[in-house]
Amino acid sequence: MLTRRKFAQSAAAAGAVLAFGTGSAAVPAWRERRDLYPQGVASGDPAPDSVLLWTRRQPSGGDTRASYLLTVEVARDPTFHDVVVRGKAEVTADTDWTCRFLAAGLKPATEYWYRFTDGEGNGSRVGRTLTAPREGDARPVRFTFVSCQDMSIGAANAYRRMIYEDERRPRAEQLGFVLHLGDFIYEVVNYPDEMPEGQYRGRRLRPLFKYPDGDKFRDYHLPVTLADYRTVYRAYLTDPDLQDARARWPFVPVWDNHEFSWQGYQSIQVLGGEQRPAQTKKVAANQAWWEFQPARVARPGAHRDRFEAPAVKDTPITQFDENGFGLGADNASAVDSLTIYRAFRYGRNAELILTDNRSYKNADADGSAVAPDGFPMFIDEDTARVIDDGRAANGGKPPATLRFAGRDVPNPGVDQPMQSYLGPKQRAWLIERLSVSQAPWKVWGHSFGTLAWRTDLANLPEGLGPRWPGTGFALANGGYYAEHAMIYDVLRSKGVTGLAVVAGDKHSFWAGLTSADLPPRAYDPVGVEFVTGSISAQGLVEIGDRIVKPDHALRALYYTGEHREIPAINYTMLHGVRAALALSRTSAAEARKLHNPAVAPHLKFVDLGGHGYGLVTVTADWLETEFVCIPVPFERSESADGGPLRYRVRHRVNRWKAGEQPKLAQTVVEGNAEYSI
Ligand SMILES: [Fe+2]
């Protein structure tokens, strides 16, 4: 049990007001007024003895008060007869009327209810939360992982399904928390009144918000100020399904790219290929995230419950250090205004290790020189691999040119650092956490995942269309080989097993094994990986016509049929081009007989059209992930279960010993997943 002093320290580190016990102050009678708390309530980052609680009490119309003093109550029952914590939290305009409250002195693995009440008795809705099991608790752990909720173009039916199923489980089998892997908001938005028929790529645009300040790039509106970023969170959290989910479980959030800027990195925006300094936007994005996400994260400054924004200017960053981090010009101040990578034990069986994959990332290498015409999405893997290594390629003697498609092209990595998203400091921290953890399963919450997607375009039959100009594999998505090798080599040498990467960002479901490289280079998987489909953001199958036109000679590698009813692209990645092309003339089972085992020895499941969530069960002996896939959430489902399921598929891995490779066993529990296996 932590001492009160320890609690006070952890509350300060989390930027939260702290309370123990029930105190004696008179409490105004609670009367629910959801209109005054329009973003609902939330809880986050559960520990065995405490959890962060959150709400936003917005000013009533015409009310000019500078603050509200809220009473926070935590009870063992939803009717608040047995209140175990009572405290006060003040909200002001400084935090956009949000508050973070650390409820301490709680019991482990226990269900609690909480609510906020102002001085007049105007109350928030009641939230439910759960503390973490204590470190020695060997009971199975269950949680879901989600990402990519673009509420401007879709509905959060996945959360409704998650709630419906969890309410029907026995208490011992219910979820402990929701791991949110980012793209909680989409900062790039199209306004419906500016778009033809109010649509964007076939989706109905919701008039959720307009930026009070804002910037515009092509059809897209972008946030510029703190007021802009706050506007998105406020609007998103009025969604009833997202709000119900936050009121039912503690969330454990990290950000991906869209919490700051679509193609941004560090404190730099990239728009149309052009770099723009965005230090003030990075600070604003971090502050809004901190105000709206109840996470135990470190920010600078002495103030207990307020984000103290460093003064930065949007000054161009022209010099980079040897790792590709921008020097001077406030880049470090902006990035360091919030540190979200963190780790915590959750019971005996799991350690959660969460990384920030965007703030310390270096600039993307430009692979366009090895992207041949006529093959949408694909570049040459062999040359991309060299570019990724940067100036460390070929033992520190990188080739000045790359031979590809019968010509020599300049090597864009020749004077660049190796591609990295973690940066040296975070990478060292991650390696240390993975190495010292005593938990049998190390769950690495990784916003975008490590699994490479590639195929064997060199095997295309004659006469179909363009010929692949290389001899190796065609890469659609992958990279960071050198960085992954640095991490995985240590795990292998120390005999660390039980690595399970869980990821989002890809707007698609993937199950496989993570390895720093793939054949014909060294293939030595050190862990399992699961990527969840998006809550609502569009996947490749849906937006594919923008990438490959219906009259394209290689259309059958991407889709089969007039209306994309068969996502052949899944088979292109899983089984190779011969199997994908066979889908035009035969069944999925027959097509799979043409499987090329060299293409994707690391992949077990691919669905580039799936939405939903992943459900993880962790026991001492095995870890299992269930993909719960729903149809494209064009509109909010009217039914209590959130609408129909497309499929439910499980992948289980038993614990493996040092020196062994993990193995995934697949079960299709319900629905049709034949084009993904
Ligand atoms: Fe996303």
Side-chain angles (χ1 to χ4, degrees):
M1 182 76 173
L2 284 172
T3 62
R4 280 179 184 239
R5 193 161 151 267
K6 270 268 188 63
F7 268 126
Q9 285 166 350
S10 75
V17 176
L18 167 75
F20 292 85
T22 52
S24 58
V27 183
W30 170 88
R31 183 173 72 245
E32 188 178 276
R33 285 287 304 272
R34 292 196 187 205
D35 56 317
L36 299 177
Y37 300 80
Q39 285 74 29
V41 296
S43 66
D45 278 20
D49 42 22
S50 63
V51 65
L52 270 172
L53 305 178
W54 177 95
T55 196
R56 179 171 182 274
R57 180 357 177 153
Q58 74 174 20
S60 320
D63 194 342
T64 55
R65 262 178 287 185
S67 67
Y68 294 95
L69 188 62
L70 304 180
T71 299
V72 191
E73 294 171 286
V74 182
R76 293 293 306 269
D77 62 307
T79 52
F80 290 80
H81 289 299
D82 184 9
V83 173
V84 295
V85 170
R86 187 173 290 136
K88 299 278 185 192
E90 187 181 51
V91 296
T92 69
D94 285 343
T95 57
D96 197 26
W97 309 96
T98 65
C99 73
R100 302 153 68 84
F101 180 92
L102 187 71
L106 304 178
K107 290 187 163 51
T110 302
E111 185 177 33
Y112 290 98
W113 286 264
Y114 61 97
R115 66 189 181 189
F116 298 81
T117 313
D118 72 13
E120 279 88 61
N122 301 310
S124 70
R125 64 182 294 177
V126 171
R128 167 189 179 268
T129 192
L130 300 144
T131 47
R134 64 164 65 94
E135 192 169 323
D137 189 333
R139 287 176 291 181
V141 165
R142 300 194 106 189
F143 66 93
T144 53
F145 61 105
V146 297
S147 72
C148 300
Q149 50 196 42
D150 190 339
M151 306 308 294
S152 290
I153 58 163
N157 295 335
Y159 283 123
R160 181 55 47 201
R161 162 64 62 175
M162 198 188 295
I163 293 166
Y164 179 85
E165 295 197 356
D166 201 46
E167 284 175 344
R168 282 153 185 79
R169 289 187 188 108
R171 170 71 192 90
E173 293 172 22
Q174 287 179 336
L175 305 177
F177 60 93
V178 176
L179 175 58
H180 202 298
L181 293 159
D183 289 357
F184 192 96
I185 59 164
Y186 279 72
E187 97 300 355
V188 281
V189 62
N190 301 89
Y191 294 159
D193 55 4
E194 296 177 359
M195 300 295 286
E197 296 172 46
Q199 293 205 349
Y200 176 70
R201 300 196 303 211
R203 294 276 193 100
R204 180 177 69 82
L205 283 160
R206 281 80 169 152
L208 275 186
F209 63 87
K210 287 197 173 178
Y211 288 123
D213 302 305
D215 192 4
K216 201 171 178 196
F217 179 75
R218 298 179 185 149
D219 289 338
Y220 300 105
H221 292 267
L222 306 163
V224 175
T225 59
L226 176 58
D228 289 336
Y229 280 102
R230 285 170 167 173
T231 296
V232 197
Y233 285 97
R234 285 202 298 262
Y236 270 43
L237 287 171
T238 59
D239 179 85
D241 301 311
L242 171 58
Q243 197 184 113
D244 284 357
R246 292 232 301 183
R248 177 168 174 80
W249 304 285
F251 272 49
V252 176
V254 289
W255 60 52
D256 194 21
N257 51 329
H258 284 286
E259 280 85 350
F260 162 49
S261 180
W262 181 13
Q263 295 176 318
Y265 66 102
Q266 299 173 26
S267 67
I268 300 167
Q269 265 186 337
V270 182
L271 292 174
E274 186 191 319
Q275 311 243 343
R276 296 187 187 188
Q279 291 89 333
T280 60
K281 298 175 189 73
K282 176 67 171 171
V283 171
N286 285 1
Q287 178 164 349
W289 192 92
W290 183 86
E291 288 169 349
F292 284 85
Q293 298 283 18
R296 297 179 202 236
V297 293
R299 87 252 175 271
H303 204 281
R304 197 170 57 158
D305 53 1
R306 191 180 304 160
F307 186 97
E308 290 173 72
V312 293
K313 288 203 179 78
D314 291 337
T315 314
I317 295 167
T318 53
Q319 302 283 318
F320 292 83
D321 72 11
E322 72 275 15
N323 298 303
F325 193 80
L327 293 169
D330 297 337
N331 188 40
S333 300
V335 165
D336 292 343
S337 65
L338 197 61
T339 305
I340 65 160
Y341 62 85
R342 61 198 191 277
F344 51 92
R345 190 72 182 254
Y346 195 87
R348 180 160 172 197
N349 296 321
E351 171 127 0
L352 272 170
I353 304 172
L354 311 174
T355 54
D356 174 353
N357 294 354
R358 303 292 179 177
S359 300
Y360 315 97
K361 176 184 175 300
N362 53 26
D364 284 333
D366 179 6
S368 56
V370 292
D373 290 339
F375 297 91
M377 286 168 47
F378 292 104
I379 62 173
D380 179 58
E381 187 189 50
D382 291 336
T383 40
R385 182 74 189 71
V386 176
I387 297 168
D388 188 274
D389 281 347
R391 65 173 81 92
N394 191 32
K397 296 194 180 81
T401 57
L402 300 167
R403 184 90 189 146
F404 180 64
R407 59 198 169 91
D408 291 318
V409 296
N411 174 8
V414 72
D415 56 353
Q416 296 299 311
M418 76 169 196
Q419 290 280 287
S420 164
Y421 56 90
L422 294 170
K425 186 175 162 200
Q426 185 181 203
R427 185 169 60 242
W429 170 87
L430 171 69
I431 290 171
E432 172 72 10
R433 294 305 315 179
L434 289 168
S435 303
V436 303
S437 175
Q438 297 297 308
W441 298 98
K442 293 97 188 159
V443 178
W444 180 7
H446 185 296
S447 64
F448 55 73
T450 73
L451 298 174
W453 326 351
R454 65 178 196 178
T455 194
D456 54 348
L457 291 179
N459 281 350
L460 282 171
E462 291 282 348
L464 194 64
R467 299 293 305 160
W468 179 249
T471 53
F473 289 102
L475 183 71
N477 191 292
Y480 302 108
Y481 309 94
E483 177 151 65
H484 291 147
M486 290 171 78
I487 302 163
Y488 293 173
D489 285 352
V490 177
L491 301 191
R492 206 173 291 110
S493 70
K494 293 189 172 175
V496 174
T497 66
L499 172 64
V501 182
V502 292
D505 179 74
K506 304 281 191 245
H507 307 180
S508 46
F509 286 106
W510 298 73
L513 305 180
T514 181
S515 165
D517 237 327
L518 293 175
R521 289 171 291 274
Y523 174 59
D524 191 1
V526 296
V528 293
E529 179 165 327
F530 307 99
V531 184
T532 182
S534 72
I535 294 286
S536 59
Q538 293 184 295
L540 197 56
V541 169
E542 191 183 341
I543 61 172
D545 283 342
R546 295 171 62 85
I547 295 163
V548 50
K549 300 290 179 209
D551 60 352
H552 193 284
L554 300 178
R555 168 84 175 184
L557 289 182
Y558 300 81
Y559 310 107
T560 302
E562 291 272 313
H563 305 291
R564 297 182 297 209
E565 62 270 29
I566 298 175
I569 185 72
N570 297 346
Y571 271 34
T572 300
M573 302 300 184
L574 266 174
H575 303 299
V577 297
R578 300 286 175 127
L581 294 172
L583 288 173
S584 307
R585 56 178 191 273
T586 187
S587 67
E590 283 298 309
R592 282 199 293 274
K593 291 179 181 167
L594 297 172
H595 170 72
N596 177 355
V599 170
H602 62 309
L603 295 180
K604 194 84 176 169
F605 188 91
V606 174
D607 182 6
L608 286 154
H611 299 273
Y613 58 91
L615 163 63
V616 181
T617 305
V618 188
T619 74
D621 300 323
W622 50 264
L623 180 148
E624 184 178 87
T625 292
E626 179 176 293
F627 292 149
V628 181
C629 180
I630 61 170
V632 177
F634 290 106
E635 297 296 339
R636 185 168 187 236
S637 167
E638 296 298 325
S639 64
D641 62 2
L645 278 189
R646 272 186 58 210
Y647 57 74
R648 187 190 306 271
V649 175
R650 292 184 188 142
H651 292 93
R652 180 181 289 203
V653 60
N654 291 324
R655 274 196 80 188
W656 64 96
K657 295 193 184 74
E660 292 179 350
Q661 288 190 0
K663 285 193 181 60
L664 281 174
Q666 182 177 72
T667 310
V668 179
V669 181
E670 63 175 296
N672 182 356
E674 64 178 342
Y675 295 114
S676 297
I677 59 175

